[in-house]
Amino acid sequence: MGAWSAGGYRRLGAAASAAAALGGWAVGTLPAHDPWGLWVPHGPLVSAAGHALAYGGLTLLVVAWWLYGRAGASVRHTLVTLVWWAAPLVLAPPLYSADVYSYIAQGAMVLEGHDVYSAGPSVLDPAGPGGDAAASVGGHWTDTPAPYGPFFLILARGVAWATGGTIVPAVLGMRIVALGALVLVVHSLRHLAREHGRSESAALWLGALNPLLLTHVVGGVHNDGLMAGLMLAGAVLALRGRWVAGSALIGLAMTVKSPAALALLFVGVLVGRAAAGPLVRRVAKGLLAPGLVAGAVALGATLLGGTGFGWLATQGVAGRIHTALSASSDLGLGLGHLLRLVAGTDPDPVRTAVQNLGLAAALVLIAHLAWRSATGRTEPVHALGLALVALVALSPMVQPWYLLWGTVVLAATAGEGRARSAVTVLSAALVYETQPSGSTPAYGFVLAGLTCVVGVLLLRRDGAAVGTAGVPGPRRPAEAATETDRGASADRGASADTPVADTAPGTRTTAR
């Protein structure tokens, strides 16, 4: 397989994606009721075949992605490959999560005048618009208020209105939003890579072709893709001196999911650096101006959406749900139960205290990264990517797709090194953490752990062979500037199976 061209890996990945999607028709996150009769449960034999297709396809997709990153594909070839790999997932039922049903139900709630920030989807009439979606929501989310901002609920309401909340067209409507987010991510990755002197194709490989993004943004229809796309686009504008427009886009990203607000801190660093006048004035402008712009946009979205300001109070609702990927929650839960056995204390306050300590540690790391970027030791957007990874790692609730928050940034800013290697290996591993049906089996963690071990061993082997990390890395600024022209020129004179290499295997390049 190592002798294949990038075109061979493209075809392998497309077949793998098709297999995963086909398996999803049998064992995906199927709705409780589909009036069209398309996404319905099947018998045990079909389910067994579906599981084999879904997991076999997923594994081949990860393998194809890993090897494609070493094939030296041009930007154009990578973009076409992204289309090939994403296309089979577009018409599949939701995969790996039931969150899209919550989105549809919450959009129907807004449409019918319910307060999405004080009640959950269970308030919908089972026979009315969004009723089938509400019945398909995961158990602990049925009565949970929406943790999403007003801009996203405007989109969800539009989908619910256009489709009447009918399951299949409503899911496909939300998937169109997710595909638009993917386009925005791709566009922003290319520009961010140019701004940082990195390889565009390497950025696209890690940030867009990533199997974690394909499965959870295209397949799972998570709104994290929209948040990330808007945030990245805002960062691009801020880097080019258009910080007002950039802050406005980040304000929209905040009104999808609140973690995007972290980007304002690092945009503030850019603003402060570019400002004139005394130090106090520059610092004040950097700290306040982006936030004021984003706040004004958030206010406008809230008033336009008509959903009220309850979203500011529901940002912590997800933290009440335990997820095994949260180190602080696991540690707090274990310590709490240990103290209950020893001293008879209530474990909940102990868990909360440890979770708060984790968040405090994340804030310290974020402040440190902001200081490094303000003093010129770390590029601000690169520091943003590291800060987002730190926030996820130390949060009280962690889902596999949360890794994408920082990964899409680091894909365009990180050179060869531990940060890029870590998010690469974790991206390959975390696709196994949830089943196509959205549940979280114990064997998923075993598969993820084994993938981490294999990924680390492969990187070490590649590093020992060529004297550098095995992950597709950065390029020197002069090379990056000519990459697109070279790729386009070569693509005109070559077949799709003979793409022009961005970085020859083993090439040592500048690290950041």
Side-chain angles (χ1 to χ4, degrees):
M1 187 176 291
W4 285 11
S5 67
Y9 299 133
R10 170 196 281 174
R11 290 189 292 272
L12 176 64
S17 178
L22 184 60
W25 281 79
V27 296
T29 312
L30 302 176
H33 175 245
D34 173 16
W36 288 15
L38 294 176
W39 297 339
V40 295
H42 300 276
L45 290 178
V46 174
S47 295
H51 275 107
L53 278 171
Y55 276 101
L58 181 63
T59 299
L60 285 177
L61 181 62
V62 171
V63 171
W65 172 69
W66 190 278
L67 296 174
Y68 187 87
R70 285 147 184 76
S74 67
V75 172
R76 180 180 176 184
H77 196 277
T78 305
L79 291 172
V80 174
T81 299
L82 176 60
V83 173
W84 280 40
W85 291 9
L89 301 171
V90 171
L91 296 179
L95 300 173
Y96 305 101
S97 172
D99 280 10
V100 68
Y101 299 129
S102 291
Y103 304 161
I104 297 165
Q106 288 157 359
M109 288 174 66
V110 176
L111 197 62
E112 295 197 343
H114 296 287
D115 183 1
V116 292
Y117 299 125
S118 64
S122 62
V123 302
L124 288 173
D125 179 0
D132 289 334
S136 307
V137 172
H140 50 254
W141 293 106
T142 303
D143 297 305
T144 302
Y148 311 118
F151 177 61
F152 181 70
L153 290 178
I154 290 172
L155 298 176
R157 180 181 63 184
V159 170
W161 173 82
T163 63
T166 305
I167 283 292
V168 173
V171 168
L172 296 181
M174 294 306 304
R175 192 164 271 147
I176 289 172
V177 175
L179 291 173
L182 178 58
V183 171
L184 192 56
V185 167
V186 167
H187 175 79
S188 302
L189 280 172
R190 296 187 65 183
H191 287 281
L192 272 181
R194 292 173 194 167
E195 293 290 336
H196 289 83
R198 305 301 189 193
S199 163
E200 288 184 46
S201 59
L204 292 170
W205 173 80
L206 179 56
L209 204 59
N210 191 319
L212 189 64
L213 185 143
L214 291 174
T215 55
H216 284 292
V217 172
V218 181
V221 206
H222 285 292
N223 60 6
D224 301 73
L226 181 59
M227 180 199 80
L230 290 168
M231 181 183 68
L232 284 176
V236 170
L237 291 174
L239 275 172
R240 295 180 172 180
R242 299 171 60 189
W243 65 267
V244 174
S247 299
L249 284 181
I250 293 169
L252 279 182
M254 286 165 43
T255 57
V256 175
K257 295 189 79 167
S258 59
L262 186 57
L264 294 172
L265 177 62
F266 297 93
V267 169
V269 171
L270 293 170
V271 172
R273 281 183 179 180
L279 177 62
V280 172
R281 179 180 177 181
R282 286 185 278 126
V283 171
K285 183 177 181 180
L287 289 175
L288 298 176
L292 289 173
V293 173
V297 170
L299 175 63
T302 302
L303 296 175
L304 180 64
T307 52
F309 293 90
W311 66 283
L312 297 173
T314 61
Q315 296 306 300
V317 297
R320 303 170 193 164
I321 300 168
H322 179 78
T323 56
L325 285 177
S326 169
S328 63
S329 293
D330 292 341
L331 180 60
L333 188 63
L335 184 59
H337 283 294
L338 178 62
L339 289 176
R340 183 178 65 177
L341 291 174
V342 174
T345 57
D346 184 356
D348 288 339
V350 177
R351 182 183 65 175
T352 300
V354 175
Q355 289 174 334
N356 290 335
L357 285 174
L359 287 174
L363 291 176
V364 170
L365 286 172
I366 291 167
H368 175 67
L369 288 166
W371 175 255
R372 286 184 60 88
S373 63
T375 54
R377 288 180 287 175
T378 305
E379 291 294 332
V381 179
H382 181 64
L384 168 62
L386 296 174
L388 287 165
V389 171
L391 177 63
V392 170
L394 294 167
S395 287
M397 180 189 179
V398 179
Q399 299 286 12
W401 52 91
Y402 289 4
L403 180 69
L404 295 170
W405 302 353
T407 298
V408 293
V409 180
L410 296 175
T413 66
E416 296 174 5
R418 288 176 293 180
R420 189 177 182 90
S421 296
V423 295
T424 298
V425 172
L426 287 173
S427 293
L430 288 178
V431 297
Y432 293 107
E433 201 263 344
T434 53
Q435 283 184 327
S437 64
S439 62
T440 307
Y443 67 78
F445 293 93
V446 175
L447 292 174
L450 290 173
T451 305
C452 281
V453 172
V454 172
V456 169
L457 291 176
L458 287 174
L459 290 182
R460 287 185 174 179
R461 185 198 67 180
D462 292 346
V466 300
T468 186
V471 179
R475 295 184 56 77
R476 290 180 288 273
E479 294 173 317
T482 60
E483 176 187 64
T484 303
D485 291 339
R486 289 191 299 105
S489 175
D491 279 326
R492 285 193 296 268
S495 72
D497 286 359
T498 56
V500 175
D502 288 321
T503 306
T507 301
R508 181 179 293 277
T509 51
T510 307
R512 174 174 296 166

